[in-house]
Amino acid sequence: PSHDTPIKLYFDIEKHYTITNITKDTFEEEVERCQHFFTDFMLNHLKIYNSNLVRNDIVASSSSMYDYTSYSEKEKKFIPNNVKLSFHFICTSIKAYKVDQKLLCEQLNLILETKYSDKHPLIDTSVYDKNSKMRLLNQSKDNEIRPLVILHGHYEHFVIPTIVTGK
């Protein structure tokens, strides 16, 4: 979408772990806990934009993965034993400009940093930059095998409409 076109509110949530500080069972519980936490968090904090906001207005997808291998461009090698929580939340009933979404997420990160002690913000704000890429369902990032799958919602909630003009 164009940088100056309002789009559905979109949140990219990420949390990294080391394989030594979380088990596979605990990780799966954490995925479910985080999905519910962020859905409730967004419901509580987005009511100022839409007082009729309900749980079904917020859809979720995830590419969370326990023990995957990624490629480091910086180190020019494959890195094993990665553990990452990764969610995409979309609020289907609220639209905003990317620049406003970025500001909102920066404010939400300030609220969230009191709940989590991590050196990285939980909401990735780089996705609101002008030339950022948008990952589609069932796709993985380059050099990773972590496909984005639906947790809550339907396929049509995640489709990005495109209007092609000109010849």
Side-chain angles (χ1 to χ4, degrees):
S2 168
H3 203 66
D4 59 356
T5 302
I7 59 173
K8 294 175 194 172
L9 275 182
Y10 170 81
F11 302 90
D12 186 344
I13 312 290
E14 295 183 350
K15 186 161 177 62
H16 299 266
Y17 298 86
T18 61
I19 204 157
T20 56
N21 68 4
I22 191 167
T23 66
K24 184 161 179 59
D25 289 340
T26 305
F27 176 76
E28 290 172 3
E29 292 169 8
E30 184 77 350
V31 169
E32 188 169 325
R33 189 186 70 74
C34 284
Q35 178 190 351
H36 294 292
F37 171 83
F38 283 109
T39 300
D40 291 342
F41 179 83
M42 291 188 323
L43 279 170
N44 292 329
H45 287 83
L46 297 178
K47 291 255 185 207
I48 60 171
Y49 301 103
N50 178 351
S51 60
N52 298 318
L53 191 66
V54 294
R55 184 169 297 279
N56 282 339
D57 290 333
I58 298 173
V59 296
S61 58
S62 177
S63 60
S64 299
M65 184 70 68
Y66 185 85
D67 195 11
Y68 71 95
T69 300
S70 65
Y71 184 77
S72 170
E73 289 291 337
K74 183 179 175 184
E75 298 178 40
K76 300 290 185 210
K77 67 178 185 178
F78 284 94
I79 312 292
N81 306 116
N82 293 287
V83 180
K84 184 176 182 180
L85 279 176
S86 180
F87 297 97
H88 293 181
F89 290 96
I90 299 171
C91 183
T92 61
S93 63
I94 301 174
K95 289 186 178 183
Y97 294 101
K98 279 181 144 185
V99 65
D100 295 327
Q101 290 193 39
K102 185 172 187 171
L103 291 171
L104 172 64
C105 289
E106 288 169 351
Q107 293 300 310
L108 292 175
N109 272 333
L110 292 175
I111 294 167
L112 286 166
E113 79 179 347
T114 61
K115 296 185 183 304
Y116 293 94
S117 58
D118 194 344
K119 61 184 176 184
H120 302 289
L122 285 172
I123 303 174
D124 181 1
T125 58
S126 70
V127 299
Y128 305 104
D129 294 338
K130 187 175 182 179
N131 295 319
S132 64
K133 295 178 182 178
M134 178 69 79
R135 183 159 37 146
L136 301 175
L137 287 175
N138 301 318
Q139 301 301 307
S140 295
K141 289 182 178 179
D142 291 341
N143 299 313
E144 291 184 356
I145 301 175
R146 290 186 310 112
L148 186 65
V149 297
I150 296 173
L151 296 176
H152 176 75
H154 302 285
Y155 178 79
E156 58 271 12
H157 294 133
F158 299 91
V159 174
I160 303 169
T162 302
I163 299 171
V164 178
T165 59
K167 294 184 178 185

